[in-house]
Amino acid sequence: MSKPLFKKVLVANRGEIALRIMRSLRDLGIPSVAVYSDADSLSLHRKYANEAIRLPGRTSTDTYLNIPALIAAVRSSGADAVHPGYGFLSENSGFCAAVAQAGATFIGPSIEAMHLMGDKVEAKALMRKHKVPVVPGSEGALERWEDLQTVAHHIGYPLILKAAAGGGGRGMRIVRADSELKEAYETCRREALSYFGNDMVFTERYVNNPRHIEVQVLCDGKKGVHLFERDCSIQRRHQKLIEEAPSRFLDQEHRERLGEIAVRAALAAHYEGVGTVEFICESPDRAYFMEMNTRIQVEHPVTEMITGVDLIREQIIVAATQNLTLKQSDISIRGWSIETRINAEDPAQGFMPGPGQIQHLHLPAGPGLRIDTHIYPGYTIPAEYDSMVAKFISYGATREEAIQRMQRALSEFECEGIPTTAKFHEIVLKHPAFLSGEFDTGFIQTYQAELDQALKSSSPDPVYGPLLAATQAQLQCDRRTERENQVPLPSRWQEKARLDSTRKN
Ligand code: MV4
């Protein structure tokens, strides 16, 4: 056996992504360390890991965002690397620095690359320098409102104001006329300061209802490959709902061109690891760089399905070796993949989160289906964290087959005790605009009334009487045993992991 990549990796995250990361670690033969909050003491990620460390408290601030507590866990566990997942501290360069300070490897890009991409003005300037197409606008930050006026007179309306420290659609403002300029500018700066602690703003021409297309890249600082694109146009208020790969919008020529541009963008920042270069597209040959996300993303599985690459495995290998062995010619697309995000939210109530206990659960399965989730019958979804409870990822030889298999999955799914977005997805997946591929980021808004109506008139799910009764009986039994033991049941998984790591052949 060659030298192991890492001795032990601490996963600084929770939920489905923590579990997903630990699975790739297990495939690589690397023991994992979980951290868990008091709200997550019965979470699967805690049970799946080879070791688990409690982070006292329930809020994100006290636990998964608590850098000193996480660094203490790194030290006490002896982990030599940290995987941040997505969200939480995954794009926090201070956390990167603290991990390095503790003598461990941060599985992600360098502090410099992360910091650079976090500043949208700086990132855009670097892209211009490297001939990556950007939307016309201010060349740098707007120091005074008159600077905005100058740009407006140069390129016209509508314009969009954005915070340099923003991203993901937060802190943006559309300006449509001279009369709105001054107030929009002042409000945007004030909001930027309160949201991001930085009041720098910039502007660009506003592209109405663009497509959102992002390219997956994998780099080692010197070389890079792309793994084609994902179309994430189906979103609501900047929350993605459905993603797919590849995109109906690009032909092979534009696809390859966008991939090359994305690699150029990443290497301009000497990027290391997996990353996503986000574009908005007006037409296939008018794609503009928006921002680069310096983390593994929620929707990464659709790329894995069509390329056969385990992105998290590759991310870990690059972090350990600083060397990319995959070549562009090794990567090709086979088939089509779609992801629907199952959130504990009620689409009939404006997608209001509905945390609670899962009383009955039946997860779909079958050909062309992958489910990434951390939920199980009896699990209580805490109110403290985000509401995504599962990702359904379908695969087919064609887009039509991937859609059909997703429809099958959604119709098999049963979940009692919490609201979910599953029914809403079924309706979107039947919509002619979705089926034809003729949609953009305005889809949900454009068809809102129609989708709401379809939701109202859809028949309620039949409740599986016998199955439901059986699960509830099991739940009561579990609760009784738990009370008697005073502590959570020992995990069979954890025992198995211990056995695996001590067994001699
Ligand atoms: C834009 C835009 C139109 N014109 N920039 C939102 C997320 C952030 N990364 C960039 N965003 C946008 N920037 C210009 N110049 C429209 C959006 C936008 C959007 C982009 C991607 C996915 C969904 C979106 C929904 C609304 C607005």
Side-chain angles (χ1 to χ4, degrees), residues 179-458:
S179 58
E180 299 170 15
L181 268 186
K182 190 161 186 280
E183 205 201 313
Y185 175 81
E186 280 160 6
T187 311
C188 193
R189 280 194 79 156
R190 206 169 44 240
E191 285 181 358
L193 184 64
S194 81
Y195 296 164
F196 316 111
N198 173 346
D199 70 349
M200 295 278 248
V201 298
F202 66 107
T203 191
E204 42 193 42
R205 177 169 73 79
Y206 177 65
V207 180
N208 192 41
N209 291 346
R211 284 256 185 172
H212 174 137
I213 295 181
E214 56 185 36
V215 178
Q216 179 70 56
V217 297
L218 173 62
C219 305
D220 67 8
K222 296 175 282 299
K223 318 182 282 303
V225 294
H226 68 84
L227 294 101
F228 304 100
E229 79 283 5
R230 296 185 284 261
D231 193 318
C232 308
S233 300
I234 307 288
Q235 51 83 44
R236 181 183 174 275
R237 298 191 180 167
H238 306 297
Q239 295 297 314
K240 293 169 185 166
L241 291 170
I242 302 178
E243 302 99 341
E244 63 181 284
S247 169
R248 272 290 312 261
F249 198 56
L250 300 179
D251 58 25
Q252 198 54 26
E253 188 193 324
H254 288 104
R255 169 167 299 124
E256 274 163 26
R257 203 175 68 95
L258 203 60
E260 283 160 19
I261 292 171
V263 172
R264 183 143 37 91
L267 289 182
H270 307 291
Y271 197 81
E272 282 168 65
V274 299
T276 300
V277 185
E278 186 186 311
F279 297 91
I280 56 170
C281 302
E282 276 186 296
S283 68
D285 48 15
R286 281 189 297 175
Y288 308 106
F289 171 89
M290 281 284 109
E291 54 191 78
M292 179 167 187
N293 300 319
T294 59
R295 58 173 190 273
I296 190 78
Q297 286 187 269
V298 173
E299 59 272 27
H300 77 276
V302 293
T303 300
E304 297 187 321
M305 299 295 265
I306 64 159
T307 61
V309 174
D310 175 341
L311 287 168
I312 291 179
R313 176 189 180 94
E314 297 304 324
Q315 186 184 25
I316 294 164
I317 293 173
V318 169
T321 64
Q322 283 89 51
N323 186 40
L324 178 65
T325 52
L326 272 180
K327 297 187 297 296
Q328 194 63 55
S329 58
D330 297 334
I331 302 160
S332 59
I333 299 181
R334 217 180 112 145
W336 212 283
S337 182
I338 297 179
E339 171 177 283
T340 55
R341 297 189 187 192
I342 310 297
N343 297 341
E345 294 170 1
D346 186 353
Q349 305 283 332
F351 289 80
M352 201 205 296
Q357 191 180 38
I358 297 171
Q359 301 293 337
H360 163 72
L361 180 69
H362 174 77
L363 289 175
L369 188 66
R370 162 175 167 182
I371 295 188
D372 282 17
T373 187
H374 59 292
I375 65 173
Y376 56 84
Y379 174 67
T380 298
I381 290 130
E384 281 83 355
Y385 316 109
D386 85 9
S387 58
M388 195 177 72
V389 297
K391 305 189 301 206
F392 288 4
I393 305 120
S394 73
Y395 173 82
T398 61
R399 185 169 190 264
E400 291 65 35
E401 190 175 43
I403 293 172
Q404 167 51 37
R405 286 170 164 175
M406 182 63 80
Q407 288 285 16
R408 184 238 301 158
L410 291 165
S411 70
E412 282 178 21
F413 180 50
E414 292 171 19
C415 185
E416 305 289 333
I418 55 164
T420 81
T421 47
K423 190 58 132 207
F424 185 79
H425 290 311
E426 281 190 60
I427 291 163
V428 172
L429 260 59
K430 283 189 195 111
H431 197 280
F434 180 80
L435 294 172
S436 70
E438 293 301 311
F439 57 81
D440 55 39
T441 50
F443 178 88
I444 299 291
Q445 213 180 11
T446 305
Y447 300 110
Q448 190 165 341
E450 217 178 298
L451 298 169
D452 284 351
Q453 190 51 46
L455 202 60
K456 272 207 207 86
S457 52
S458 69

Side-chain angles (χ1 to χ4, degrees), residues 151-173:
V151 180
H153 292 162
H154 202 68
I155 64 177
Y157 292 105
L159 286 175
I160 185 165
L161 271 172
K162 299 180 178 185
R170 294 172 313 147
M172 305 190 322
R173 200 156 209 98

